C-alpha cells in the first residue's frame, strides 16, 4: 500500500457555493476564460484536479498510490464564514466525502470540515462525522494553536472529538474574524508558502507539546503538516535554551513523538532529518495534491537514506495503524451497551 495522508478537495457542492460568492473565498472566470480561485493570498487557476474525484483517482493510479486522504480545503477559509451561511454547505460536503469512500472502495478517505463560527454547531457536526458518517476526523486552522490561550478557545470542540476518537489535521489557516497578515514586500510565494508556513507548523507543534492538550484528549490524534516545520532542524537549539535558561525544566523533545506528521511537499533530505528526530512510526506520506503534483513516494521516500523498514513505515504502515486505531475507537464507542 501507499497512503497519501495530505491532500485537499474542493468538490461536494463547494464549487457551486464559491461561484455564487462575491468576495473571497470565491470562484470567478477571468476575461480570458480561465476559472480561478480567489483566496486570501491571491488567485490560482482552478482545474478539474481540485474538484473531480475521478481525476484524483486517475492520478493516484498513475503514481501507484492506493489510498488518499481528501480534506476539506481548510486554508481556503470557507469554514470561517458565518455558520448560518456555511454550516449546511459543510454538512453536505461531509456527506459527499463519506459517499466517496464507499464509491471508491475505501481508496478515498475523507477528512471533514466543521463551521467554526459557531462551536455548538461545530461540535454537533463533529459528532455526526465520527458517529454517523464514520469519517476519521476533521481539519482545523492551525492559527488556533499559535499560543496556549488560543488553543483553549477550542476546548469544547476537542472534548467532542475525544468522545468517539478523532483525527485532527492542524493545517495553516486563519481563525474566525482574523484578517490575513500583511503580504511581504517581495518574494511573496517563497516567504509565505515556505519560510512562514514552516515556521507556523513549528509553532503549532510547540503549543501541542507544551500544553496539556495531548493528555486531556487522549482519544484525539493530532497531525502536524510538513514534518513539523523547522523542528527537525531547531530542536537542539530548543534543548539548549532550556538547558541554559531553565536547567530544572528540560525541553520535552520526547513529547514530539506523541504527534503525527506528514511529508507533504518536502523531499528526501527533510524526511531523513525528521525520521531521526521523530521516528518513522510517526511520519506519513503526503503530497499536498492538487496544489503540488509530485509523486510523494518516488520524490521523497525512494531517494531518502532510510532503511527499507523505515521507508515502508512512512509509505503506509504509520497511516494504516493510525486509521485502524481510529476505527477501533469508533466501534467501541458506537457499540450498544
Amino acid at each position: 500500500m501507499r497512503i497519501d495522508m495530505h491532500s485537499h478537495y474542493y468538490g461536494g457542492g463547494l464549487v457551486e457555493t464559491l461561484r455564487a460568492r462575491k468576495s473571497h473565498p470565491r470562484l470567478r472566470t477571468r476575461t480570458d476564460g480561465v476559472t480561478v480561485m480567489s483566496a486570501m493570498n491571491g488567485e490560482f487557476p482552478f482545474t478539474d484536479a481540485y474538484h473531480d474525484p475521478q481525476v484524483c483517482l486517475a492520478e493516484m493510479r498513475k503514481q501507484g498510490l492506493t489510498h488518499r486522504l481528501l480534506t476539506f480545503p481548510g486554508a481556503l477559509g470557507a469554514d470561517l464564514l458565518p455558520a448560518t451561511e456555511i454550516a449546511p454547505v459543510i454538512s453536505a460536503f461531509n456527506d459527499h466525502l463519506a459517499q466517496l469512500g464507499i464509491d471508491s472502495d475505501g481508496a478515498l478517505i475523507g477528512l471533514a470540515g466543521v463551521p467554526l463560527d459557531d462551536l455548538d454547531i461545530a461540535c454537533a457536526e463533529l459528532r455526526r462525522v465520527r458517529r454517523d458518517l464514520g469519517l476519521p476526523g476533521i481539519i482545523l486552522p492551525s492559527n488556533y494553536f499559535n499560543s496556549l490561550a488560543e488553543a483553549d478557545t477550542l476546548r469544547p470542540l476537542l472534548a467532542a472529538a475525544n468522545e468517539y476518537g478523532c483525527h485532527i489535521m492542524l493545517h495553516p489557516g486563519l481563525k474566525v474574524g482574523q484578517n490575513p497578515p500583511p503580504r511581504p514586500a517581495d518574494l511573496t510565494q517563497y516567504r509565505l508558502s515556505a519560510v512562514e508556513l514552516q515556521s507556523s507548523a513549528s509553532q503549532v507543534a510547540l503549543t501541542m507539546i507544551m500544553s496539556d492538550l495531548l493528555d486531556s484528549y487522549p482519544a484525539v490524534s493530532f497531525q502536524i503538516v510538513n514534518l513539523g516545520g523547522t523542528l527537525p532542524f531547531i530542536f537542539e537549539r530548543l534543548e539548549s535554551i532550556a538547558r541554559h535558561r531553565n536547567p530544572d525544566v528540560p525541553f520535552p523533545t520526547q513529547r514530539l513523538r506523541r504527534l503525527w506528521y506528514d511529508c507533504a511537499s518536502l523531499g528526501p533530505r527533510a524526511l531523513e532529518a525528521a525520521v531521526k528526530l521523530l521516528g518513522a512510526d510517526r511520519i506519513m506520506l503526503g503530497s499536498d495534491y492538487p496544489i503540488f503534483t509530485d509523486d510523494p513516494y518516488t520524490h521523497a521516500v525512494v531517494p531518502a537514506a532510510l532503511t527499507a523498514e523505515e521507508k515502508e513505515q512512512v509509505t503506509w504502515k504509520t497511516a494504516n495503524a493510525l486509521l485502524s486505531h481510529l476505527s477501533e475507537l469508533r466501534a467501541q464507542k458506537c457499540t450498544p451497551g
Side-chain angles (χ1 to χ4, degrees):
M1 290 195 292
R2 296 181 191 173
I3 306 176
D4 176 5
M5 288 291 285
H6 185 153
S7 75
H8 306 293
Y9 180 64
Y10 296 68
L14 286 180
V15 169
E16 294 77 10
T17 298
L18 294 170
R19 280 194 185 278
R21 288 182 53 78
K22 301 302 181 184
S23 59
H24 75 265
R26 73 180 185 117
L27 282 170
R28 71 179 188 91
T29 301
R30 298 190 313 214
T31 55
D32 60 3
V34 175
T35 298
V36 294
M37 177 71 73
S38 175
M40 68 174 183
N41 287 330
E43 294 185 341
F44 58 87
F46 190 74
T47 66
D48 289 345
Y50 282 85
H51 64 92
D52 188 337
Q54 295 308 314
V55 173
C56 175
L57 285 166
E59 188 69 17
M60 287 171 60
R61 287 191 290 268
K62 179 182 176 182
Q63 296 183 350
L65 295 169
T66 57
H67 301 77
R68 171 167 274 162
L69 187 73
L70 298 180
T71 78
F72 181 87
L76 191 62
D79 48 353
L80 310 181
L81 296 174
T84 52
E85 171 189 349
I86 204 63
V89 176
I90 291 179
S91 182
F93 176 91
N94 294 338
D95 290 342
H96 174 75
L97 280 185
Q99 189 61 46
L100 279 183
I102 296 170
D103 294 343
S104 66
D105 293 325
L108 299 178
I109 307 162
L111 204 63
V114 292
L116 293 166
D117 178 59
D118 188 315
L119 281 187
D120 288 338
I121 297 176
C123 289
E125 180 62 13
L126 187 153
R127 293 185 179 99
R128 189 181 77 89
V129 160
R130 287 296 286 142
R131 181 188 61 230
D132 302 337
L133 300 184
L135 298 176
I138 62 172
I139 184 172
L140 288 178
S142 63
N143 277 18
Y144 279 99
F145 296 84
N146 281 340
S147 71
L148 301 177
E150 288 169 305
D152 281 344
T153 66
L154 286 189
R155 283 189 181 271
L157 189 63
L158 299 179
N162 200 59
E163 292 176 14
Y164 291 93
C166 184
H167 186 62
I168 299 180
M169 176 188 281
L170 303 179
H171 190 280
L174 301 174
K175 301 186 300 181
V176 171
Q178 187 176 37
N179 292 320
R183 292 169 66 83
D186 54 28
L187 307 176
T188 301
Q189 289 182 325
Y190 296 115
R191 295 189 192 281
L192 287 181
S193 296
V195 178
E196 291 292 338
L197 186 145
Q198 292 299 99
S199 176
S200 71
S202 301
Q203 294 283 9
V204 170
L206 183 66
T207 296
M208 295 304 305
I209 66 170
M210 300 296 283
S211 70
D212 70 330
L213 297 176
L214 296 175
D215 303 309
S216 297
Y217 310 106
V220 180
S221 52
F222 294 94
Q223 179 178 342
I224 311 297
V225 301
N226 297 62
L227 295 175
T230 59
L231 281 174
F233 315 102
I234 65 168
F235 79 95
E236 290 161 322
R237 179 173 175 83
L238 293 168
E239 292 176 336
S240 293
I241 290 172
R243 188 166 60 251
H244 290 89
R245 301 179 184 177
N246 307 295
D248 296 329
V249 186
F251 184 78
T253 305
Q254 73 284 353
R255 283 175 65 84
L256 289 170
R257 280 187 40 78
R258 294 184 61 181
L259 301 167
W260 279 259
Y261 308 83
D262 64 70
C263 65
S265 73
L266 296 171
R269 303 293 84 82
L271 181 58
E272 291 164 6
V275 167
K276 288 180 179 179
L277 172 64
L278 307 166
D281 59 334
R282 310 307 283 188
I283 299 174
M284 303 175 288
L285 207 61
S287 67
D288 215 350
Y289 177 87
I291 301 167
F292 294 91
T293 57
D294 289 327
D295 171 5
Y297 176 72
T298 58
H299 178 73
V301 177
V302 171
L306 303 174
T307 67
E309 182 178 353
E310 288 170 333
K311 290 182 178 182
E312 190 175 23
Q313 190 73 46
V314 170
T315 301
W316 71 275
K317 282 189 171 182
T318 302
N320 187 62
L322 174 59
L323 293 170
S324 297
H325 176 64
L326 289 163
S327 295
E328 292 170 2
L329 286 175
R330 176 177 175 267
Q332 293 169 5
K333 297 292 185 177
C334 291
T335 301

